[in-house]
Amino acid sequence: IWTAAIRHIGALTSAIVLLAELVFGVVIACLFLGETLSAGAVAGCVMISAAILIVGVRWRRREIVKP
């Protein structure tokens, strides 16, 4: 499935989706399963979210500039 996704939506978008799955999995576990987060888990989620935002902004700028 992963290889098919890369073919259809591109490697960058596939990578963003893969990283977002980690964060959403943690959030859903906290909300629905009552899991608690350690400081390291929170820091990891923040860093992954920041990476997604940075890559997304750079990707959009590249798409806008691209002729």
Side-chain angles (χ1 to χ4, degrees):
I1 294 175
W2 181 252
T3 306
I6 291 174
R7 276 190 225 131
H8 290 289
I9 62 175
L12 179 63
T13 306
S14 298
I16 291 172
V17 169
L18 179 67
L19 289 173
E21 285 178 9
L22 299 171
V23 176
F24 284 117
V26 169
V27 170
I28 289 171
C30 290
L31 292 176
F32 294 109
L33 301 176
E35 296 288 329
T36 56
L37 289 179
S38 66
V42 171
C45 286
V46 168
M47 287 189 281
I48 290 172
S49 298
I52 291 170
L53 290 174
I54 290 169
V55 169
V57 167
R58 287 185 180 176
W59 177 66
R60 283 187 182 162
R61 283 185 188 165
R62 188 177 66 195
E63 290 295 318
I64 292 171
V65 175
K66 194 175 184 180

